[in-house]
Amino acid sequence: MTIAILAGSVLLFLAGLWLIVRWGGMAIKPPAGGGPDQDGRTARVAAIRRYFWWANLWCLTALITGLLMTWPGGRLLMRILAATSPDSAQGRLTEAQANVGFITVDGTLALLVFGGMPTAFVASLIYLTIHRWLPPGRLSGPLAGLLGIVVFGAGVEPFRTSNIDFTFIGPGWLSVLLFILLAVLTGAIVAAAAGWYSQRLPLFTRGAVPAYLPLLAVIVFPPAAVLILLGALLVVAWPGVAARPNRTLSPRYLWAGRAFLALAVLLALPAFVAAVSFVITA
């Protein structure tokens, strides 16, 4: 079973890399419109349709990212670190209550539900929020992944200094290298999936229902369902939030967004460097 799980992880991971190579240069193409459509629907209905277009894009992007990168990539990362850790680490319980060096079906499924999919949803949401502020082309996704791990790596995951796993799993430099690489690849596949699907996803109509089935992915990450519901209520109350996207294209907005990202990185960098130093020397 161990070999089957590892082989499946490798195949899924390679499929993710192929998608990055194949779709990595595609930019997100927002849906057209913003006011009443040709059928005479109100601006509120048009805004709701736009909103669920973005929500569906988020879910599909997260689904692809989770199944083809964060889940199999995390499984392979753990296998590598287990193999390179000292003999004294074998069999020890990690913070997530997993035994180092043992690969099980239950543990792999838990990694999907509690690690792979939540990470994919968060990474996808971050990218869809900030993608306009990033340089266009193939660098946008990897840069988003790098920004994400710098800003959140020390306080959330994976480099929390309170994580006892780094005291017996290692070497530390390899842990840092692998987690940063996985973050960069996660950003890359998020950008590739979002760019590809955005150019094919129509606004919601009765005939487009199958294209919106990815919304069901929130089943594996309920916080996404709550967030989508709250966003829908906001759009119903304030249609302008989703109905006039051209406001976000102004140079003032662009530079303000990039300044915000730069400030976030500068503020997070000291803690990130300290956390990385802890992991390397633990």
Side-chain angles (χ1 to χ4, degrees), residues 203-255:
L203 284 168
F204 183 80
T205 61
R206 290 183 180 179
V209 169
Y212 282 76
L213 291 179
L215 285 168
L216 297 177
V218 298
I219 294 173
V220 297
F221 189 55
V226 175
L227 190 58
I228 289 173
L229 178 60
L230 292 176
L233 294 175
L234 177 62
V235 171
V236 170
W238 186 16
V241 171
R244 288 175 244 183
N246 289 335
R247 288 180 176 179
T248 64
L249 300 178
S250 68
R252 180 178 299 179
Y253 173 89
L254 176 64
W255 288 109

Side-chain angles (χ1 to χ4, degrees), residues 10-30:
V10 169
L11 291 176
L12 291 173
F13 184 75
L14 290 176
L17 293 180
W18 182 85
L19 295 187
I20 292 173
V21 174
R22 185 74 172 83
W23 302 339
M26 293 187 175
I28 292 178
K29 182 181 179 182

